[in-house]
Amino acid sequence: MKELRKILAILMFCIVIFQILTENTMFKNNVIEAQAGWRENNGIEHNGWWDIWIDINSNPYTTYSNQSMGQYAYGEYGCAWFASARACQITNSWGEIHSGTSWFYNYYNQNGAVGRGQKISSKALACWENHVAVVEAVNGDTAIISEGGQSYYSNYEHGFCVIRSVNISTHFKYDVYGGGNFLGFVYLKEYNPNPQVDYMQLYVDAPMDGDVVKGKQLEVWGWSQYKKYQNDTFIGANVTANINGKTYNLPPVEHLLEDKLPRFWTFLPETAIKGGKNTITVTASYNGITQSQTKTFTVTTPTILSAKAPLATSTNPYYTVICDVSDDTEVAYVDFKIWTEANGEDDVEWQKVKVNAKTGTVTGKIYKDKHKNEKGNYKVTVYVHRTETIYYEKTYNLSSLFIFPLENISLNKTAMTINTGKTENLSVNYNPSYTTDNKAVTWSSNKPQIATVSNTGQVIAKAKGTAIITAKVGNYSAYCTVTVNDIIPTGINLDKTNITLTSKNETATLTATIKPDNAKDKLIKWNTDNPAVATVDGNGKVTAVGNGVATITATTNSGAKSAKCIVTVDIQNKIILGDVNNDGSINIQDAVILKKHLAGGLSLNINKIASDINNDGKIDISDAVILLKHLAGIAV
């Protein structure tokens, strides 16, 4: 019995050992088979771990590797393509993962994903900024992940793909092997039956804070994170933008990308964006979700490369402002604002020039007559526009504006004939008439004795002859030949036409007047037709000679004109005591004749009545004494 019991015990022990050995062998065989799977070149290291079997040499992995970026699939940088194929297997839908960031923010909602978050879940995508992996299973603090592009766990033979175990608390929190910051999990629909149904991510495609904008259009766009069904229509979001303190409604444009990602976008109004610093707050509401973003950015403005103002010419009677302008996108147009400093901006003129190029040369023409011919400094402000509100401006002072050189001068008359004493006016014509050179004229006469000229151009005829009048402006001269003629008398008048003289040697003076008053030749010739009656000298003095009538004539020097005066001489026969010789006067001759008569030495024809001075009836010495006393001034 003891032997039997011993045999039975041994037998039972053997059975137990056999069962244990048998069970251990089956487990071991599974392990061996699993380990064998690792070595079977199925394209992934640790293949078969946790019953996960992945063959990157078959679909859908080969399909993804043949895509446009497939040259990177299952290579050292192929994490996105591995995750795309694995997500396709899990969700049984097609999708593409371009990077961990794009998958997390943009593309996960296109096929089979139901939302995202920070809580780990099996059958989810783990997204870093530059890496993506698949969470296969979660067990306490440990997660099993599959991932591609991991050169430090596998090799080219296995497509750089691996299935491995990681610590949840450390692996999904920090930068992992160059993957960048961790973003979160994207839940695949197989393992999240109640996901977030819709999600909107707003993205303002405006520059980041502090960026410099060179373009002229700013785009705002966003998308729905998830569509419940493949063919759901997209409902546009309500988007507003507060730009530099003013709010604009931005109607979105619905659009479906090639990857069927529902998306809206809209452009900010160009007139709202100004050159320099801008502040923009965009608010979007969609399906009960509201998001806002605020950004500040600087917009570049066009520039003026150079500006110059060449002189105008006689054929171009305007001032030209030439500007070379440039912009990093385009110069739409250029405005010229032109005015003078005189009287403020009462003469502002605007000129608009189209450019429509990144760089260009534009010309503004400034006409003086359009600015009330105001004198003083001209100003030009040049506005270079990209849009209505994005522009650059610069003001130029053009103190030498309208410099039109003098090319020549002429006179209003090149010849003139005038009489002495007359005046004529000369004036200067400037070529061009709008010259800005000094217009001061210097006048001169080569023969001022014939004709003179004033500083205003008045010619005065002085004497008969020819003179040359010269006008000089700067280096230019003009001439006028002046011929001066005398003024011919047209008539002559005498102040008396009749005179009477009653005694011998009595005189009278005639005055002659020549017409016109300014006649040059005023010489008068005098003549008497009866000098025995009356004579006339060169000054018009008439002297009575004897009784009778004489005509005195005054004639112009040319003899063309004359005037006459009738002179009557009526000398009465009167006896004058002491007028011995009867010549009408008492003088020493009378005394001499009387003495000779008394001496008897000479028989004289005397006036016996006049010689009897004492009237005693006889002519004797007493008469002579009285005559001599009279002549001596002694009263008798």
Side-chain angles (χ1 to χ4, degrees), residues 128-394:
W128 289 265
E129 289 178 333
N130 300 309
H131 183 58
V132 62
V134 181
V135 179
E136 300 289 352
V138 178
N139 185 11
D141 291 334
T142 301
I144 304 300
I145 63 172
S146 61
E147 56 190 338
Q150 297 294 339
S151 60
Y152 34 79
Y153 281 112
S154 61
N155 49 41
Y156 179 79
E157 180 183 12
H158 296 94
F160 297 99
C161 300
V162 66
I163 302 172
R164 60 192 177 102
S165 175
V166 297
N167 183 278
I168 294 175
S169 61
T170 59
H171 191 74
F172 302 107
K173 188 174 182 179
Y174 303 104
D175 184 6
V176 178
Y177 308 113
N181 293 321
F182 183 69
L183 302 175
F185 300 98
V186 176
Y187 309 121
L188 304 179
K189 66 182 180 180
E190 179 178 340
Y191 288 92
N192 195 344
N194 296 304
Q196 179 182 353
V197 176
D198 279 309
Y199 188 88
M200 185 194 70
Q201 172 65 35
L202 174 67
Y203 179 79
V204 180
D205 188 19
M208 298 299 292
D209 289 352
D211 281 358
V212 176
V213 179
K214 293 185 177 181
K216 71 175 184 179
Q217 287 187 325
L218 298 177
E219 185 183 17
V220 178
W221 57 283
W223 57 89
S224 168
Q225 286 290 87
Y226 171 73
K227 287 205 321 174
K228 191 172 183 179
Y229 300 103
Q230 176 78 16
N231 297 320
D232 280 354
T233 57
F234 178 65
I235 303 174
N238 179 29
V239 184
T240 62
N242 185 289
I243 307 171
N244 300 319
K246 187 174 181 179
T247 300
Y248 300 83
N249 290 320
L250 307 178
V253 179
E254 295 186 9
H255 182 59
L256 199 64
L257 296 180
E258 292 181 359
D259 56 10
K260 296 182 173 57
L261 173 67
R263 166 181 170 179
F264 71 84
W265 88 91
T266 186
F267 292 108
L268 302 182
E270 291 182 17
T271 55
I273 307 302
K274 65 181 182 179
K277 185 177 180 180
N278 290 260
T279 301
I280 176 173
T281 299
V282 178
T283 302
S285 298
Y286 174 58
N287 201 22
I289 303 170
T290 299
Q291 288 193 358
S292 294
Q293 282 190 9
T294 298
K295 293 184 177 181
T296 59
F297 52 91
T298 301
V299 176
T300 60
T301 55
T303 57
I304 298 175
L305 301 177
S306 65
K308 56 186 177 180
L311 299 179
T313 65
S314 59
T315 56
N316 295 319
Y318 49 78
Y319 200 75
T320 304
V321 177
I322 300 175
C323 286
D324 294 325
V325 295
S326 179
D327 188 42
D328 44 47
T329 57
E330 69 174 354
V331 177
Y333 62 93
V334 175
D335 273 332
F336 291 91
K337 176 188 175 185
I338 309 156
W339 75 99
T340 62
E341 288 184 341
N343 302 316
E345 296 186 12
D346 65 330
D347 60 323
V348 170
E349 178 198 3
W350 287 90
Q351 294 183 24
K352 186 174 184 178
V353 182
K354 292 184 178 179
V355 183
N356 295 323
K358 287 187 177 182
T359 59
T361 299
V362 290
T363 301
K365 297 178 180 179
I366 310 171
Y367 292 84
K368 189 173 183 180
D369 56 3
K370 291 185 179 180
H371 297 274
K372 303 181 179 182
N373 291 305
E374 291 181 349
K375 297 180 180 179
N377 183 36
Y378 275 71
K379 287 188 174 182
V380 177
T381 300
V382 182
Y383 299 87
V384 184
H385 287 262
R386 179 192 305 159
T387 66
E388 291 296 330
T389 56
I390 300 178
Y391 62 87
Y392 175 80
E393 66 179 273
K394 188 172 183 180

Side-chain angles (χ1 to χ4, degrees), residues 392-406:
Y392 175 80
E393 66 179 273
K394 188 172 183 180
T395 299
Y396 295 89
N397 290 312
L398 302 174
S399 57
S400 60
L401 197 61
F402 300 117
I403 299 177
F404 302 126
L406 180 66

